[in-house]
Amino acid sequence: MGPWGGLPSGNSEAMGNMLALTPALRRGPRREEPLSNPGSFDELHRKCKEVFPQQMEGVKLIINKALSSHFQVSHTIHMSTVGPSNYHLNATYVGEQQLSPTEAFPMLIGDIDNGGSLNAQVLHLLAERIRAKAVFQTQQARFVTWQFDTEYRGDDHTATLTLGNPDLISESVIVVAHFLQSVTSRLVLGGEMVYHRRPGEEGAIVTLAGKYTALKWVATLNLGYGGAHASYYHRANDQIQVGVEFEANTRLQDTSFAFGFLDSNWCVGGVLEKKLPPLPVTLALGAFLNHWKNRFHCGFSVIVG
């Protein structure tokens, strides 16, 4: 017994050590965050590009009309001051196979203008992880593009194979392969290979890609024989977002840089959008000034629906 009728002093020290170790014994090994799907290769720089203002010119009227829960049409009238005015009819059909709140299959999209040029896309979910897309584009009565994509989305990786403008008669084709892998919960690595073949010419270009996503910023880099493409996106708060983009093309010997509303061509632009609730109307006003070419143009659009 101890001097105060308690446990012996040696046992008290042992009990204290056991109590000190109890929390450490209860805490298990730290669980690593599960890796998520990295998305598509074409969307690596999307966060940054969404910050930059879209070019506007002339007056544009867009009327959207939902005919049912699966079918929607839109009419677009564009009156331009630098080019010919045009009219576009767009129709979209969305199937009942709901994969996420923003994705449903199959999906058929068609757009035709007053000159008879057509741009059509068909997207379908072949299996739980396999998606297919077909793109057709005509210039009046002549086919200019036909493209077929197949994409596999795993738990932590995405693989895509694209076949563009295959022509068995002239033996020409473009094949593009993409692969992205989530290395950690924040880091994505991958690559792209583009192979083209036509009479008298054949070649391939390989590009490596990386993307790091932090809590408030995203940095992306594509680097290959054809050039480099880097972007940085930063979200300061709900109202302020900043984007920086750099592109260099070794084949065209061209380099461009953009920071927010200013690019390396000394073009400054901005777009202001205003919704008018309870009316289903959105007004947009854009202005762009090119200091290098001393050229200014502005645009105004009305979106109904």
Side-chain angles (χ1 to χ4, degrees):
M1 301 288 289
W4 304 104
L7 292 172
S9 58
N11 292 341
S12 298
E13 292 178 2
M15 181 62 71
N17 293 335
M18 291 178 63
L19 292 175
L21 291 173
T22 301
L25 292 175
R26 288 180 179 176
R27 288 198 300 265
R30 184 180 179 183
R31 295 183 179 180
E32 296 183 358
E33 297 182 13
L35 300 180
S36 60
N37 182 272
S40 300
F41 192 93
D42 296 335
E43 299 177 350
L44 284 175
H45 299 271
R46 186 184 63 179
K47 272 286 187 182
C48 180
K49 289 186 176 295
E50 288 178 349
V51 177
F52 301 136
Q54 298 294 322
Q55 289 280 349
M56 296 180 62
E57 182 273 324
V59 179
K60 182 180 292 186
L61 172 64
I62 302 174
I63 302 176
N64 299 317
K65 176 64 176 179
L67 302 181
S68 69
S69 59
H70 301 286
F71 192 67
Q72 174 180 314
V73 297
S74 67
H75 306 269
T76 303
I77 301 175
H78 183 203
M79 292 176 286
S80 174
T81 58
V82 297
S85 301
N86 55 69
Y87 164 79
H88 284 258
L89 171 64
N90 182 281
T92 302
Y93 171 81
V94 180
E96 298 180 351
Q97 193 172 1
Q98 192 82 20
L99 189 63
S100 70
T102 58
E103 290 181 308
F105 297 91
M107 180 181 294
L108 287 78
I109 304 173
D111 183 280
I112 188 169
D113 63 11
N114 56 298
S117 298
L118 173 68
N119 191 343
Q121 297 185 34
V122 180
L123 297 90
H124 189 55
L125 192 67
L126 301 180
E128 183 181 359
R129 297 178 180 272
I130 302 177
R131 311 173 183 209
K133 181 173 71 172
V135 178
F136 303 94
Q137 186 176 0
T138 67
Q139 188 68 35
Q140 295 181 348
R142 183 173 61 90
F143 269 97
V144 293
T145 301
W146 53 99
Q147 177 180 309
F148 306 95
D149 298 4
T150 302
E151 182 180 81
Y152 176 84
R153 293 199 175 190
D155 293 332
D156 59 358
H157 63 277
T158 300
T160 308
L161 182 65
T162 302
L163 192 67
N165 288 12
D167 191 340
L168 298 178
I169 299 177
S170 62
E171 298 183 353
S172 63
V173 68
I174 299 175
V175 180
V176 182
H178 294 147
F179 182 79
L180 287 178
Q181 173 70 54
S182 294
V183 181
T184 67
S185 59
R186 297 181 180 273
L187 180 62
V188 174
L189 297 177
E192 173 191 62
M193 187 193 73
V194 179
Y195 169 81
H196 69 277
R197 175 188 174 90
R198 59 184 178 184
E201 184 179 352
E202 183 179 14
I205 298 176
V206 177
T207 302
L208 302 179
K211 176 181 177 181
Y212 186 86
T213 304
L215 185 62
K216 290 188 176 182
W217 56 272
V218 179
T220 310
L221 173 64
N222 291 17
L223 185 63
Y225 180 77
H229 183 190
S231 67
Y232 175 80
Y233 164 84
H234 189 95
R235 184 184 184 91
N237 52 48
D238 294 339
Q239 288 77 32
I240 301 177
Q241 303 174 63
V242 180
V244 182
E245 186 178 35
F246 171 82
E247 290 187 79
N249 191 313
T250 56
R251 185 175 61 88
L252 300 177
Q253 297 295 312
D254 181 58
T255 303
S256 63
F257 176 81
F259 176 77
F261 301 131
L262 175 67
D263 61 21
S264 55
N265 295 320
W266 294 100
C267 182
V268 182
V271 175
L272 174 65
E273 291 188 359
K274 176 64 177 179
K275 293 185 178 182
L276 304 178
L279 299 176
V281 178
T282 301
L283 303 180
L285 176 65
F288 299 87
L289 174 63
N290 191 319
H291 292 272
W292 188 264
K293 298 181 179 180
N294 195 23
R295 183 180 302 170
F296 172 81
H297 65 268
C298 61
F300 178 75
S301 67
V302 179
I303 303 174
V304 180

